[in-house]
Amino acid sequence: MYRVHTTLYAPPTRTYSFKPGIWLEGRRRWTIKLSQQRRCQSRVANDGRPFRMAVLGSGPAGFYSAYKVMQGIDNAIVDMYEHLPVPFGLVRYGVAPDHPEVKNCQDKFAEVASSPNFNFIGNVKVGRDVSVQSLANRYDAILFAYGATKDRKLGIPGEDTLQGIYSARDYVGWYNSLPEFANLNPRLDQSDTAVIIGQGNVALDVARTLLKGVDGLRHTDISQQALASLSKSRVRRVHVVGRRGPMQLACTIKEVRELMNLPSVTFEPIDRELLPPDISSLPRTAKRLTKLLLEGAQTLKADTRKSWSFDFLLNPVQFMKSQDPKSSQLNAVTFSKMDYTEAELRFDPTAKVQRASREASVSMPTSLAFRSIGYQSELLPGMSDLGIEFDRNRAIISNDYYGRLTAPSQNEEIVRTIPGMYCAGWVKRGPAGVIANTMEDSFATAEAIVADWNNKAPFLGGGDGWDSIKEDVAAKGIRAVSWEDWLKIDSAEKARGKALGKEREKFADPRDMLKVLD
């Protein structure tokens, strides 16, 4: 276990905002070109080496943090480890295929990767191919930015035993060609009704792919396998179910509007009593969302066979099986009705709910259900051996809110940090927000790293990083993928897509990715 450094830290003083194509710091614009970056006076290690950091994870949190550290510490070297042969994490595998504009940040990440001081190390899994301890012995700092690798479960009967129940995370990974879920093959032809439990943006992504129709997805980078399954889908009715009410919705206005504007799809009206009688005094965002819900869809019900709804104040209690004793197929989802603990606060975004006084329940017949109640992080193998704590209540690595990993302390006023250990993104704050939130969060962590280095705070012992590890990795028969290798895979995927009349067709099998490099 590493010794801890006891100190009190002031919060970062800068605030960040996001615009497509640029990053803003206060009133000052920064482009991402590292060749033009601001130079600062910064120290080097005692033996004259430059600062060297390992980043675990190649999604937005990793790239945003790497950029800011390379900008703030002169000649800093960043080695980014990714267990897949390809970069970009949730941008590649979690963004809906019909939202290509959200993936524009990949171009900026590519500019970070073009720096001679940046090394992408794909197809190397930390905790299996190289230990966290080994990294700690060879770097000044380790940044954990590997995101949320699991999804939350409901913990109700039938969840793990019945067929027809899917995790939204798995489903999104499947249509985005994430190797882990390439063989999911959800049976979309089993039911004309789908029940989605959860009302966040991911839940609405699932609903949109089920209702949109393949013609609206055919030219995106959705997998051909998913297109084939969606073309056979029988789903005509989608319920998006939540425990609370419309004023506590977790999704964004953009996601709701897209569903409202789907051609040939209508929206079932919301009970007017669940919405404020006068919306004029609501905050701007709440007012816009409420107005959108009241206006409903552009398509009239008589003009379509497809529809969707928000179903509020319902808590799932059981997945019911078919009456056929030989079948394990889902037949219905049972919900208990909920009510607000304080009726006068029902329009408050933080309002709490409890089971209704009457033992009332609702059963929704369906053979297709999706669980979409959030993602969870977990520690990588070997992290606990370094004294790294995991906050199980929040499912994040314990940190001081600025990204410094913390150890237990008897004095709550003192922050005890583990030298040289940092985190960013979902593993730092939990799986919430959009990419702009991750950018702000990652910049804050990077700023803490830069400040600690320049203020001569304790760090790890340092070393030659990947240069002293790669031979051992190669000796295990592992093909590490460089950024130049990724560009070859990228070109091959685009060529596959062009032949199909789409932007790209991703490889769903890492072996096929590596064959491109042979």
Side-chain angles (χ1 to χ4, degrees):
M1 180 182 293
Y2 284 86
R3 61 189 175 87
V4 296
H5 180 57
T6 304
T7 186
L8 284 172
Y9 289 105
T13 57
R14 297 171 184 161
T15 58
Y16 305 97
S17 58
F18 176 79
K19 297 291 183 183
I22 58 173
W23 294 344
L24 304 179
E25 181 182 331
R27 295 182 178 179
R28 191 168 183 178
R29 296 164 67 100
W30 295 99
T31 68
I32 198 172
K33 293 185 181 296
L34 295 178
S35 60
Q36 300 175 359
Q37 65 181 278
R38 171 175 61 102
R39 290 298 182 187
C40 65
Q41 292 183 349
S42 61
R43 71 186 182 94
V44 295
N46 292 334
D47 57 4
R49 291 179 297 100
F51 175 83
R52 191 150 190 165
M53 179 174 74
V55 175
L56 311 191
S58 66
F63 271 104
Y64 283 131
S65 299
Y67 160 70
K68 203 67 177 176
V69 167
M70 294 170 73
Q71 182 192 69
I73 299 179
D74 199 25
N75 295 320
I77 299 174
V78 171
D79 296 336
M80 180 175 284
Y81 292 84
E82 168 59 53
H83 76 281
L84 289 171
V86 295
F88 304 139
L90 205 64
V91 174
R92 176 180 168 97
Y93 291 120
V95 173
D98 56 348
H99 287 172
E101 72 284 353
V102 179
K103 302 181 184 183
N104 288 340
C105 57
Q106 292 179 168
D107 297 333
K108 301 303 174 184
F109 299 160
E111 292 186 32
V112 174
S114 69
S115 168
N117 284 358
F118 178 93
N119 299 301
F120 174 72
I121 306 159
N123 200 42
V124 175
K125 188 171 185 177
V126 174
R128 181 193 67 187
D129 305 328
V130 59
S131 69
V132 180
Q133 177 70 67
S134 179
L135 297 180
N137 293 337
R138 291 169 169 83
Y139 287 93
D140 295 295
I142 300 176
L143 173 68
F144 299 95
Y146 55 84
T149 54
K150 299 182 355 181
D151 67 291
R152 292 178 56 201
K153 287 195 171 186
L154 294 162
I156 62 177
E159 184 174 15
D160 297 321
T161 58
L162 298 183
Q163 297 177 359
I165 304 169
Y166 303 96
S167 156
R169 174 179 177 268
D170 298 0
Y171 176 77
V172 170
W174 167 74
Y175 66 56
N176 275 322
S177 302
L178 180 61
E180 183 181 356
F181 305 117
N183 298 319
L184 183 68
N185 297 324
R187 296 299 305 272
L188 307 181
D189 57 350
Q190 292 290 302
S191 178
D192 61 0
T193 299
V195 174
I196 304 172
I197 300 170
Q199 295 179 328
N201 283 346
V202 176
L204 296 197
D205 283 344
V206 174
R208 197 173 62 257
T209 59
L210 293 173
L211 294 168
K212 191 168 190 174
V214 294
D215 288 341
L217 298 168
R218 196 179 304 279
H219 300 295
T220 70
D221 65 357
I222 192 172
S223 72
Q224 289 298 107
Q225 183 184 26
L227 277 178
S229 292
L230 287 167
S231 67
K232 300 174 184 176
S233 173
R234 291 179 49 218
V235 175
R236 297 292 180 270
R237 179 73 170 89
V238 175
H239 295 270
V240 184
V241 188
R243 295 179 69 251
R244 300 194 295 169
M247 303 310 296
Q248 294 84 44
L249 275 172
C251 53
T252 60
I253 295 172
K254 177 180 181 295
E255 295 282 345
V256 177
R257 182 180 293 112
E258 282 189 89
L259 269 171
M260 293 291 191
N261 291 338
L262 284 181
S264 303
V265 178
T266 193
F267 174 69
E268 299 292 336
I270 293 175
D271 182 351
R272 188 62 181 82
E273 292 186 359
L274 295 176
L275 298 169
D278 178 17
I279 69 171
S280 61
S281 59
L282 291 174
R284 181 174 180 271
T285 300
K287 184 191 302 182
R288 290 173 59 206
L289 179 57
T290 305
K291 182 179 179 182
L292 183 60
L293 294 174
L294 286 171
E295 292 174 349
Q298 302 298 313
T299 304
L300 297 177
K301 190 169 185 178
D303 299 332
T304 180
R305 294 186 300 125
K306 291 183 178 181
S307 65
W308 71 284
S309 62
F310 277 126
D311 297 84
F312 298 110
L313 297 173
L314 295 175
N315 184 49
V317 294
Q318 186 172 5
F319 292 106
M320 307 296 293
K321 71 181 295 290
S322 167
Q323 294 182 352
D324 183 352
K326 297 181 180 180
S327 173
S328 59
Q329 179 64 46
L330 173 69
N331 188 56
V333 185
T334 300
F335 297 87
S336 63
K337 290 186 177 181
M338 308 296 287
D339 205 350
Y340 291 100
T341 55
E342 299 178 72
E344 64 274 15
L345 298 179
R346 65 189 183 279
F347 302 137
D348 190 299
T350 62
K352 299 184 182 301
V353 294
Q354 62 187 3
R355 187 158 187 168
S357 57
R358 302 185 306 274
E359 290 298 311
S361 64
V362 172
S363 180
M364 292 186 184
T366 184
S367 300
L368 180 65
F370 297 88
R371 176 184 65 241
S372 184
I373 57 170
Y375 296 174
Q376 283 187 318
S377 298
E378 59 183 346
L379 291 183
L380 299 177
M383 288 177 64
S384 58
D385 296 337
L386 299 182
I388 297 173
E389 296 279 324
F390 190 70
D391 184 337
R392 299 198 176 279
N393 291 329
R394 300 179 61 200
I396 60 173
I397 298 175
S398 297
N399 68 90
D400 67 352
Y401 301 101
Y402 307 117
R404 302 176 180 94
L405 269 57
T406 58
S409 172
Q410 295 181 347
N411 187 341
E412 294 183 357
E413 295 182 359
I414 301 295
V415 178
R416 305 178 69 214
T417 63
I418 304 176
M421 301 283 191
Y422 300 85
C423 59
W426 283 5
V427 77
K428 170 188 173 184
R429 72 177 193 279
V434 294
I435 291 178
N437 302 118
T438 297
M439 182 200 68
E440 295 171 358
D441 163 88
S442 303
F443 279 4
T445 292
E447 188 175 76
I449 295 171
V450 172
D452 290 351
W453 182 254
N454 291 334
N455 291 331
K456 299 184 180 181
F459 274 80
L460 299 173
D464 294 327
W466 174 240
D467 295 336
S468 60
I469 297 174
K470 57 186 176 184
E471 288 187 5
D472 292 339
V473 171
K476 296 177 181 179
I478 299 165
R479 169 67 183 270
V481 174
S482 67
W483 190 259
E484 292 71 23
D485 291 335
W486 149 244
L487 294 178
K488 295 176 184 177
I489 297 171
D490 181 44
S491 295
E493 288 186 340
K494 289 178 178 177
R496 281 158 49 93
K498 185 176 181 180
L500 296 168
K502 54 194 296 191
E503 178 184 352
R504 78 167 62 231
E505 176 65 13
K506 301 171 190 168
F507 293 108
D509 189 329
R511 292 171 296 184
D512 293 330
M513 300 175 191
L514 297 178
K515 284 179 183 178
V516 174
L517 309 179
D518 293 338

